[in-house]
Amino acid sequence: MYYYKEKERKKTYKIIEMEIIENLKELKPYVAPDEGREYTKEFDLVEIALSYDIEDIIVVNDEGLVIATTLKDADEVGATASSIFEYIKKLCGNIKKVVIFKEDSYLYIYPLKLYGENLYVIIESKIALDVIEEKEILKRITGVLKKYFSTITTIEQEIPEEALLSI
């Protein structure tokens, strides 16, 4: 009897959690409306953006291909930002981040190495981020990315070795 009640309670919590997630997905476009942007329905990065009043988060690999984002059309921004970082790195040497102040917002570009992959985290914000916020945000983004990469690792482990060789 106890097991059944506990199972039902967990099921109820899961339903409530899913409703909250769906509502947050719908909230992002209204919190930071920008006429020229269309936001994705992915929840992981949107939650982080909402938590820190960030406009956009884009994660790209070293080739500028989008890994995760809060925007639907982030390809051009991601490729451009990673190129900017690499260009400045050539000029200045070992740098930790690039901050660009635009008319009404800040664009932050951070390099990130995860599971042997070179990634760039691009954050656009209407307000300047302090160092503590930056660390918290990057830690949370890394947590989200680890979920994505662990899924890929799991899929690769499930594919037989001969299938990998034939691809």
Side-chain angles (χ1 to χ4, degrees):
M1 187 67 165
Y2 173 77
Y3 176 74
Y4 177 76
K5 285 182 181 180
E6 188 66 23
K7 187 176 175 181
E8 286 299 311
R9 187 172 63 85
K10 286 182 180 181
K11 186 177 176 182
T12 303
Y13 284 147
K14 189 67 174 170
I15 290 169
I16 292 170
E17 181 180 272
M18 293 308 295
E19 287 176 2
I20 291 170
I21 290 171
E22 288 302 314
N23 289 333
L24 284 173
K25 285 180 188 178
E26 297 300 321
L27 178 65
K28 171 65 176 161
Y30 299 107
V31 172
D34 188 342
E35 299 80 31
R37 296 187 177 162
E38 190 173 351
Y39 296 97
T40 65
K41 299 295 182 186
E42 292 301 318
F43 176 69
D44 294 336
L45 293 180
V46 172
E47 178 187 25
I48 296 169
L50 288 171
S51 299
Y52 294 95
D53 292 326
I54 294 172
E55 294 293 309
D56 304 312
I57 300 172
I58 304 167
V59 180
V60 297
N61 66 9
D62 55 358
E63 297 172 356
L65 300 174
V66 175
I67 305 296
T69 182
T70 58
L71 290 175
K72 280 193 177 178
D73 297 321
D75 297 326
E76 186 177 332
V77 175
T80 303
S82 63
S83 297
I84 289 170
F85 186 90
E86 286 303 315
Y87 181 76
I88 293 174
K89 184 178 175 181
K90 285 180 186 175
L91 289 175
C92 301
N94 189 18
I95 58 175
K96 303 290 183 202
K97 68 180 173 184
V98 171
V99 181
I100 301 168
F101 180 67
K102 301 186 323 179
E103 286 181 16
D104 60 347
S105 64
Y106 296 86
L107 188 69
Y108 295 84
I109 309 168
Y110 304 93
L112 177 67
K113 189 154 185 111
L114 186 65
Y115 296 115
E117 294 287 326
N118 293 321
L119 305 173
Y120 297 95
V121 176
I122 301 133
I123 297 173
E124 185 170 349
S125 176
K126 296 273 186 200
I127 57 172
L129 302 174
D130 64 38
V131 177
I132 295 170
E133 280 181 325
E134 288 178 11
K135 289 180 181 180
E136 290 173 2
I137 293 166
L138 289 173
K139 183 178 178 181
R140 288 184 66 185
I141 290 171
T142 302
V144 169
L145 294 174
K146 284 181 179 179
K147 287 186 222 174
Y148 292 163
F149 279 94
S150 67
T151 303
I152 292 169
T153 305
T154 305
I155 291 170
E156 287 176 352
Q157 289 172 351
E158 292 174 0
I159 298 173
E161 189 67 31
E162 19 335 307
L164 287 175
L165 296 175
S166 65
I167 295 176

